[in-house]
Amino acid sequence: MEDTNNILDFFSLTDPNIRYVVIGSVLLTASSAIIGCFTFLRKRALIGDAIAHSVLPGVCLSFILAGTKNPLILLIGAFITGFISVYLMDFITRNSRIKQDTAIGLLLSVFFGIGILLLTFIQHSGDASQSGLDSFLFGKAASLVAEDLMVFGTAGIILIVTIILLYKEFTLISFDENYARTIGLPVRTFEFILTVLTVLAVVIGIQAVGIVLMSAMLITPAAAARFWTNKLSLMIILAAVLGALSGISGAYISYLSPAMPTGPWIVLIISAIAIFSFMAAPGKGIIARLVLQRNHRHQILEENILKVLFHMGEKEKNYFNKWSIQDIIRKRRMASAQLSTGLNRLRNEGYVEKENNTWRLTQEGKEKGQRITRIHRLWEMYLTEYLRIAPDHVHEDAETMEHIITPEIEARLEEQLKYPSKDPHDETIPYRE
Amino acid sequence: MNIQVENPIVEIHDLTVSYSRKPVLWGIDLTIPSGSLVGIIGPNGAGKSTILKTTMGLIPVSSGYIKLFGKDLDEVRDKVSYVPQRESVDWDFPASVMDVVLMGRYNRLGLFKRPRNADKDVAMECLQKVGMEAFVKRQISQLSGGQQQRVFLARALAQDADLYFMDEPFAGVDAATEAAIIKLLREMTAKGKTVIVVHHDLQSAVDYFNWILLLNMRLVASGPTDKVFTQQLLQETYGGKLTLLSKVGDLLEKEQFPTRE
């Protein structure tokens, strides 16, 4: 009972404090997810992390200089040092032998180290107004107030509008930067804008999840969204929705139990979403691939059984003979349990019939077994004739190819080989009558 | 053998290009007549791609200059189109064939504008020219190498330029696609366009091109195919790098010495 009340209280947004938290978390997480799509596609994931760590000295310095926790002032400080780190990264990679990953590692730790130093200094300075600055480390989505919201809301809207306006250019430089240069696009300017937006997103995003976890908010929603769509516009929208979803859930969890840190929860939830996408996404997900592999295994087993039954019929000159499981195993070694399930599936599909524990091909089953045999022998012919592979080396390859060759390729094989009557092992190639 | 022409569409004057101080192209001087189908031929590491990239302003020159239509690149960008190597981009990018071809229209669209229906019509027409109209909605990661190459060509065609630079458009392409592409390039030059192609295969080069540049870190020859494609000049191009030239280049890199005073 109490739980339902909690949910109602939270999601009806009647309490202004809750309203700020919910709207704030959505804005913060969605805007970093949106710009994160470009960071992800430009393969700049680590740069986001470096920026996030580099804003701490900026936050601390502006607090020391201005003596206030006004979010706008802290944001400006954060922005400046975040930007300096990106610029230095660029400078170091271009003017020294140091590669980008090393430059990122260097700058990230140096800036973060200075930041922690300044933070410790502030905490021991006895200034009472400083309490709460350390929330930059792990985020404070659950304690956002109206003032924060104004600043971050504005920044978030600037970010989203810029992306909509420059969508075409950002897409082009993310896909093919050199081509963009050749058509006269000022690539450097657009890269600069993109960097400004990334720094902006990081600076407002760390309010929700904190410096340490910020790169997850940039990259994870984009990575999760990529699994579900091949369309960039859709991917961006999806990333924003997934990011926002994790933002709200994280805020709700800290609302239920205020001792829970919001940022880590948000990151855990978006990571869970990403893992789920990784598993369950259609086509690209692991489950989809496992299903596909299982279907292939089934197909191979069933086609092999039909082929064996056809071979046995070939020998007996009666394709519709009845055979026991043992007969089949004697011809081709198979686990008997596997063979029975395969036969049962084939019966359901109408390719074999069962009579007192014996099995026989139906007309359809005979034709399918014949086709597999035909492709197998044609492919062996093709390998010996066109690739000059020795006849005793072609069987293994044909064992696989017989299951994937399409009717079109089959027709072209027959044509190219001019309908041979025997395969390299002197077996008759069975054509349709 | 370096044949100079009047009113060249491409003029390269005393061009030297270096990577981290090490020259990869030395003192290139050449002119190319308008309307030709040009092959840039040479062994690996000869600087074939470099000369295209430098012409398109992607690599800075160490010395010398390049004029297109007698002007600087920036003044004539709308008339010049570049087809990068297929491997230069990540084909797993979330985009459709149409999305990529439309990129060829971006320079006409200007900031903030979305492609219009007219641009889509042009893109569709260009896809038809390369025989890819059936793939218009296909995700680009699902294309074969030859199909990807044709999408890049269609994107360049959509620019409707007069001068085309193509970096290895036949690399990793099946024979049928290669024939289709060369037919298209011939049609383009018949209409007065100039097409300059980095090419690997010596055997087909004689048939394909009417003007050939032989390159191996320096210009060995530039001129009409029948005059340039001689045993002796080919020998000079493929007969290995000039040992002294490489040594001096290595030295410049090692000492980080400026190429020009």
Side-chain angles (χ1 to χ4, degrees):
Chain A
M1 200 55 218
E2 205 190 317
D3 281 351
T4 34
N5 274 341
N6 270 337
I7 293 172
L8 280 179
D9 275 352
F10 186 81
F11 287 102
S12 61
L13 305 179
T14 38
D15 182 342
N17 284 323
I18 296 174
R19 198 154 59 219
Y20 297 145
V21 171
V22 170
I23 298 173
S25 328
V26 167
L27 268 174
L28 300 178
T29 46
S31 44
S32 44
I34 289 172
I35 191 77
C37 286
F38 289 100
T39 319
F40 172 79
L41 290 172
R42 282 156 50 85
K43 306 185 169 63
R44 304 276 161 96
L46 283 173
I47 293 186
D49 204 21
I51 298 174
H53 283 78
S54 316
V55 300
L56 186 60
V59 170
C60 295
L61 274 176
S62 46
F63 175 78
I64 293 172
L65 294 176
T68 149
K69 274 196 321 192
N70 178 317
L72 186 61
I73 292 178
L74 297 188
L75 200 143
I76 293 171
F79 193 87
I80 292 173
T81 49
F83 205 82
I84 290 176
S85 79
V86 181
Y87 180 80
L88 279 179
M89 208 158 8
D90 205 32
F91 182 83
I92 291 176
T93 9
R94 237 177 318 142
N95 293 296
S96 77
R97 288 180 174 228
I98 294 173
K99 300 276 181 283
Q100 196 185 39
D101 59 331
T102 315
I104 289 173
L106 278 174
L107 287 166
L108 182 149
S109 39
V110 168
F111 273 75
F112 192 58
I114 297 175
I116 293 286
L117 208 71
L118 290 172
L119 190 62
T120 321
F121 172 74
I122 295 171
Q123 280 170 334
H124 291 93
S125 66
D127 185 342
S129 67
Q130 56 84 19
S131 68
L133 265 190
D134 54 350
S135 65
F136 275 98
L137 284 180
F138 294 110
K140 54 158 190 174
S143 50
L144 288 173
V145 293
E147 202 186 12
D148 297 322
L149 213 59
M150 285 299 290
V151 175
F152 307 143
T154 319
I157 287 164
I158 292 175
L159 194 145
I160 291 168
V161 170
T162 320
I163 297 240
I164 292 174
L165 286 178
L166 298 178
Y167 175 76
K168 173 168 110 273
E169 284 75 16
F170 287 161
T171 310
L172 179 55
I173 64 169
S174 305
F175 174 62
D176 194 346
E177 197 183 304
N178 272 348
Y179 180 77
R181 271 182 229 278
T182 65
I183 63 170
L185 206 67
V187 170
R188 285 220 151 221
T189 312
F190 286 110
E191 275 182 333
F192 177 78
I193 299 172
L194 213 47
T195 308
V196 170
L197 294 182
T198 314
V199 177
L200 196 65
V202 167
V203 168
I204 60 178
I206 56 172
Q207 309 291 324
V209 301
I211 286 164
V212 185
L213 299 174
M214 184 57 213
S215 69
M217 277 330 291
L218 275 177
I219 300 307
T220 320
R226 182 69 185 90
F227 274 101
W228 300 95
T229 174
N230 282 326
K231 222 176 134 129
L232 180 56
S233 48
L234 216 61
M235 173 183 158
I236 294 175
I237 294 167
L238 196 61
V241 171
L242 294 178
L245 201 70
S246 65
I248 295 180
S249 322
Y252 180 62
I253 289 170
S254 6
Y255 166 78
L256 287 184
S257 89
M260 288 288 189
T262 324
W265 270 108
I266 295 180
V267 171
L268 279 182
I269 290 161
I270 189 66
S271 304
I273 293 174
I275 292 169
F276 174 75
S277 311
F278 180 59
M279 304 290 286
K284 284 186 222 166
I286 290 199
I287 293 174
R289 271 195 234 167
L290 287 178
V291 170
L292 186 70
Q293 278 167 17
R294 194 198 63 145
N295 290 346
H296 284 160
R297 273 201 311 277
H298 284 182
Q299 185 205 345
I300 290 174
L301 173 68
E302 288 166 26
E303 293 185 351
N304 281 343
I305 296 172
L306 291 178
K307 190 176 63 174
V308 173
L309 291 174
F310 180 82
H311 285 178
M312 288 166 31
E314 230 176 5
K315 221 173 188 175
E316 297 294 319
K317 309 229 182 320
N318 177 9
Y319 295 109
F320 305 104
N321 243 351
K322 294 178 199 158
W323 304 100
S324 71
I325 297 240
Q326 282 71 35
D327 293 332
I328 302 174
I329 291 177
R330 223 170 287 134
K331 177 80 183 168
R332 184 189 170 108
R333 282 185 64 86
M334 282 191 246
S336 66
Q338 220 186 6
L339 178 59
S340 327
T341 50
L343 281 167
N344 279 316
R345 274 203 305 272
L346 283 167
R347 183 171 58 166
N348 291 335
E349 291 162 10
Y351 292 116
V352 294
E353 285 166 350
K354 188 179 186 184
E355 239 173 78
N356 313 322
N357 275 330
T358 58
W359 301 82
R360 68 183 204 103
L361 287 170
T362 61
Q363 182 60 33
E364 292 78 16
K366 181 225 154 189
E367 264 162 34
K368 195 159 178 186
Q370 186 182 31
R371 174 169 185 265
I372 306 297
T373 309
R374 182 169 62 242
I375 296 175
H376 181 105
R377 293 177 184 166
L378 281 171
W379 187 250
E380 289 186 335
M381 275 311 279
Y382 182 76
L383 289 182
T384 44
E385 288 211 350
Y386 282 78
L387 278 75
R388 303 200 185 286
I389 295 177
D392 56 333
H393 287 174
V394 292
H395 175 76
E396 291 298 314
D397 194 57
E399 274 294 289
T400 315
M401 297 312 159
E402 67 192 16
H403 303 295
I404 63 159
I405 284 178
T406 59
E408 295 85 65
I409 299 179
E410 184 192 342
R412 287 187 54 186
L413 266 179
E414 292 175 341
E415 222 171 278
Q416 273 201 23
L417 294 166
K418 302 194 183 66
Y419 296 88
S421 56
K422 299 272 182 183
D423 79 354
H425 312 111
D426 212 30
E427 309 257 23
T428 308
I429 296 178
Y431 293 99
R432 272 154 296 198
E433 285 91 41
Chain B
M1 171 76 57
N2 189 352
I3 299 194
Q4 305 292 336
V5 294
E6 294 284 310
N7 298 321
I9 195 159
V10 178
E11 181 197 356
I12 298 184
H13 181 84
D14 191 23
L15 178 78
T16 297
V17 183
S18 322
Y19 285 132
S20 96
R21 296 275 156 92
K22 177 180 181 171
V24 284
L25 289 174
W26 297 77
I28 310 283
D29 268 303
L30 62 90
T31 49
I32 291 172
S34 183
S36 7
L37 182 48
V38 183
I40 303 182
I41 317 277
N44 284 330
K48 304 188 293 293
S49 293
T50 306
I51 205 169
L52 282 204
K53 284 186 184 154
T54 314
T55 312
M56 291 312 295
L58 299 173
I59 300 176
V61 302
S62 299
S63 79
Y65 62 81
I66 300 170
K67 298 269 184 206
L68 308 175
F69 304 91
K71 296 179 176 152
D72 283 337
L73 173 64
D74 277 326
E75 296 173 65
V76 291
R77 260 187 213 280
D78 288 348
K79 296 202 273 180
V80 185
S81 173
Y82 171 61
V83 180
Q85 280 186 23
R86 185 165 52 84
E87 293 86 5
S88 65
V89 303
D90 178 4
W91 288 92
D92 203 24
F93 195 87
S96 69
V97 166
M98 180 50 105
D99 292 337
V100 174
V101 179
L102 279 175
M103 290 174 184
R105 305 295 294 172
Y106 282 9
N107 57 334
R108 284 159 198 271
L109 282 173
L111 274 185
F112 311 135
K113 300 234 175 54
R114 290 288 152 89
R116 305 150 299 183
N117 278 340
D119 298 304
K120 288 181 185 157
D121 291 345
V122 174
M124 200 61 209
E125 220 175 277
C126 297
L127 279 171
Q128 274 159 8
K129 280 186 196 158
V130 299
M132 285 288 290
E133 67 273 22
F135 296 86
V136 59
K137 289 196 176 129
R138 188 71 65 92
Q139 152 71 13
I140 53 171
S141 64
Q142 293 161 0
L143 300 176
S144 73
Q147 290 167 339
Q148 291 173 349
Q149 193 66 61
R150 283 188 276 167
V151 170
F152 260 7
L153 271 177
R155 178 176 73 173
L157 293 180
Q159 274 180 264
D160 195 20
D162 294 320
L163 174 57
Y164 291 84
F165 292 98
M166 304 183 177
D167 203 344
E168 304 249 11
F170 302 118
V173 158
D174 59 282
T177 307
E178 181 159 339
I181 293 177
I182 198 69
K183 182 165 168 272
L184 179 71
L185 301 189
R186 282 187 180 133
E187 281 166 17
M188 287 163 67
T189 47
K191 282 183 196 148
K193 316 249 177 197
T194 309
V195 182
I196 299 173
V197 176
V198 169
H199 191 57
H200 238 107
D201 182 36
L202 272 179
Q203 288 201 319
S204 51
V206 188
D207 296 332
Y208 288 177
F209 308 111
N210 56 27
W211 191 279
I212 279 184
L213 308 182
L214 290 177
L215 203 68
N216 190 356
M217 295 183 74
R218 77 282 183 195
L219 186 75
V220 176
S222 162
T225 306
D226 51 348
K227 292 199 179 143
V228 165
F229 224 73
T230 63
Q231 188 67 35
Q232 188 209 342
L233 286 172
L234 286 173
Q235 190 94 50
E236 201 180 319
T237 313
Y238 284 86
K241 283 181 182 163
L242 296 181
T243 336
L244 272 179
L245 194 68
S246 305
K247 277 222 164 102
V248 174
D250 290 342
L251 207 59
L252 285 171
E253 187 187 23
K254 194 170 152 232
E255 304 285 339
Q256 285 292 294
F257 213 76
T259 325
R260 287 286 180 275
E261 279 175 42

